[in-house]
Amino acid sequence: MEIATVAGIVSVIVSAFSAFFAYRMLKLNEKVIEQSANISRRQGVIDLHHTWSDIKKVEFDKSTKESIAKAKGALSLTATLWLHDIIEKEILRQNYWDSFDTLFQIFNSHDQVIAGFNRTGKQMLTNEIKRAHKEMSDMTVNQVNTSNI
């Protein structure tokens, strides 16, 4: 056997092992990425829970500026998690729809300028919050209609 033939065979074997190990590393990286995504989702749930647990009844003429800002922040965080599929939509809808909808309606029905914000409650609702509310509302209506059939 010539040296060139042996070198070629060795080269093929080394290439095969390299490809095998590259494939194994790719699969390992996929698992690490999936685990990181799961950790991020859990962190999103924890952040959302803490945010909503701080929300008290919002009365624009009686609530502090801080409590109004926190309430708006809860709406924003929930909308972001909904729109970007960070947390499963069904979990968000089941656990936060009633609170989200109630707070949305409070802001949406307030047409007077809020002291310290120079905006009405309705004006504080961003397009992202409005879109998330509509999508959650549609999902809830669809589930009710499906349940009745």
Side-chain angles (χ1 to χ4, degrees):
M1 215 186 260
E2 291 185 28
I3 294 178
T5 305
V6 172
I9 292 170
V10 169
S11 177
V12 168
I13 292 170
V14 168
S15 294
F17 277 116
S18 294
F20 172 75
F21 287 117
Y23 175 77
R24 296 286 294 161
M25 291 305 295
L26 176 65
K27 289 299 179 186
L28 181 62
N29 284 338
E30 288 174 355
K31 286 182 181 179
V32 168
I33 290 169
E34 184 179 331
Q35 288 173 346
S36 293
N38 288 338
I39 290 169
S40 294
R41 284 186 201 100
R42 278 187 231 123
Q43 186 59 47
V45 170
I46 292 167
D47 290 347
L48 188 63
H49 175 74
H50 286 296
T51 299
W52 279 102
S53 67
D54 285 345
I55 303 304
K56 308 293 183 244
K57 183 177 179 183
V58 174
E59 296 179 49
F60 292 107
D61 55 336
K62 297 178 183 174
S63 297
T64 65
K65 185 177 177 181
E66 180 184 3
S67 65
I68 294 170
K70 282 183 178 182
K72 199 259 186 186
L75 290 170
S76 293
L77 179 58
T78 306
T80 297
L81 294 173
W82 176 273
L83 294 173
H84 299 286
D85 293 324
I86 297 170
I87 299 174
E88 288 184 44
K89 289 185 176 187
E90 183 57 25
I91 292 171
L92 279 172
R93 192 196 62 75
Q94 285 177 357
N95 293 294
Y96 296 100
W97 167 246
D98 291 335
S99 299
F100 185 84
D101 182 50
T102 299
L103 196 54
F104 179 92
Q105 297 305 333
I106 290 169
F107 273 82
N108 196 43
S109 64
H110 192 76
D111 292 324
Q112 297 174 348
V113 173
I114 303 164
F117 291 97
N118 297 323
R119 295 163 52 197
T120 67
K122 188 177 284 192
Q123 290 171 333
M124 291 181 74
L125 296 173
T126 63
N127 289 334
E128 187 175 61
I129 293 170
K130 292 175 189 174
R131 184 175 149 214
H133 183 269
K134 181 179 181 345
E135 288 181 15
M136 277 191 235
S137 178
D138 290 348
M139 185 180 196
T140 301
V141 168
N142 288 338
Q143 287 199 331
V144 168
N145 289 339
T146 303
S147 299
N148 291 334
I149 293 178

